Amino acid sequence: MTTLPQTTFDQLRTLVRGRVWTPGDADFEQVGRPWNLAVVQAPCAVVEAADADDVASLLRFASAHGVPVATQPSGHGATGRAGGAILLRTSRLDSVSIDPSAMTARIGAGVRSGDLQRAAAAHGLTALPGSSPVVTVVGAALGGGLSWFGRAFGWVADSIRAADVVLADGTARHVDAENPDDADLLWALRGGGGAIAIVTALELRLRPAATVFGGRQLWPAAHARVVAETFRAITASAPDTLTLWFEVLHFPGSEPMLAIDSTFLGTEEAARELLRATDDLPDPLADTRAVMTVADLGQITAEPTDPVPVRSRAELLTGLDDAALDALLGTPIAPLMAVQVRHLGGAFAHPSDSPHGPLTEPYAVYMLGVAATPDGEEAAAARQAELAAALPVSGRKPISLLNRSEGLSDALPDSSLERLRHLKGTYDPARIIQGNFEIAAPPTG
Ligand SMILES: Cc1cc2nc3c(=O)[nH]c(=O)nc-3n(C[C@H](O)[C@H](O)[C@H](O)COP(=O)(O)OP(=O)(O)OC[C@H]3O[C@@H](n4cnc5c(N)ncnc54)[C@H](O)[C@@H]3O)c2cc1C
């Protein structure tokens, strides 16, 4: 834990226009909590930046005093590494500006996925949203980012055109895909985590999508096998514009259920034709599929938006054979609440010079359990480990879905880890910027 005298934090209050909380403040504990309430973190201060200048002032202060700064817009991906650091909240960096003719968006670092989707939808455009409308676009993009539309357009990070960043010494810099001098920094931002520079704004490429067809079909557990087989059959030949996720759901107090969640970048008629095999399944309990704007995508999976204690684990799968279906469906997922299989492929597997590289595995699985107590978290982790051991996992994972027991080496190839290590040494030798995941220090001696 960093111990700086109160007078030093009083000085910080004079340096930034935004709010500063320190342990003596009544609501300090509350403002320092992450979205994932299972993660306990004890920052030494919390700063809500009013603008990019505040971020620069904060980093100059932190560098002068040798205190780490952990950027945490919401804490969906909290790992507990913010302990002793100054926690930077970016929610006031909330501007969204769309250039419809260039099909780009410029967003502040605190913008949540749902907010960008609403702004883009007004112009018949879309960004690359994931399942949750409340994660920040920057947080997901810096971890690569798996979107509903990744099969059509690749990693969220591959859409980054430019960024405004602040380096550890407080220097503000604009990095642009057009400028060869920025190539290293931009590469690190395109899925290398958030430990090289703090982003204050991003410029992203958008795509046309006046409306999409999508929603959730829900069945009772009795139909598990046939629903899973139908999901597998549709995904075997789906065009890149169609994305299906299969979910085993078991909410406390209710019976287990199965869902197929889908989105299609195209007409309702074409979508219904591609999904025709689901019409031959037993009648669903519910079917929310409809023509919607891309602003409504966050409602499909109905994930919790308010803070909750959770334990997640993701794996990339090399296939989905019968043995994998046996593992997913053979025994109840309890104490897990959701096991989601996402169809990948398409543009995910196209060449990408991002830190992760192409995502060639055809499926990802994301397992989520409530972790209200340490015992509950342990039980969820044990069930996740059991399922992972029974599934054909490739052994690596996307950064945006890493949990706090994992690290960058679970996601990135050695060559990318080495390049990130080098960049950390160049841009942040005093290791002031604290990402969710450690970039190992270079070997000494
Ligand atoms: C319910 C749920 C659904 C999810 N769905 C998806 C999904 O569909 N696709 C997907 O890819 N991921 C998904 N995720 C994972 C999510 O994208 C990651 O947890 C992501 O890190 C969240 O970003 P955040 O900013 O909201 O969270 P935070 O935990 O606040 O931030 C995550 C990390 O990003 C970095 N960071 C954030 N902002 C900045 C910045 N301005 N400058 C530098 N570094 C920064 C920091 O290292 C920070 O610790 C989901 C997570 C949950 C809990």
Side-chain angles (χ1 to χ4, degrees), residues 85-167:
I86 300 175
L87 198 63
L88 169 62
R89 300 290 195 204
T90 53
S91 50
R92 286 176 67 184
L93 308 181
D94 59 356
S95 64
V96 182
S97 140
I98 308 288
D99 181 338
S101 53
M103 292 210 293
T104 55
R106 184 183 155 80
I107 58 162
V111 169
R112 293 172 183 248
S113 177
D115 299 327
L116 173 56
Q117 286 306 109
R118 256 189 303 285
H123 299 277
L125 298 170
T126 185
L128 300 187
S131 58
S132 167
V134 295
V135 301
T136 65
V137 180
V138 171
L142 293 181
L146 297 182
S147 161
W148 275 116
F149 304 142
R151 286 175 38 72
F153 305 117
W155 293 105
V156 177
D158 285 341
S159 291
I160 299 177
R161 303 274 300 266
D164 288 344
V165 301
V166 182
L167 302 177

Side-chain angles (χ1 to χ4, degrees), residues 430-441:
R431 305 176 80 77
I432 295 299
I433 298 177
Q434 179 96 71
N436 261 349
F437 300 100
E438 179 82 24
I439 295 178

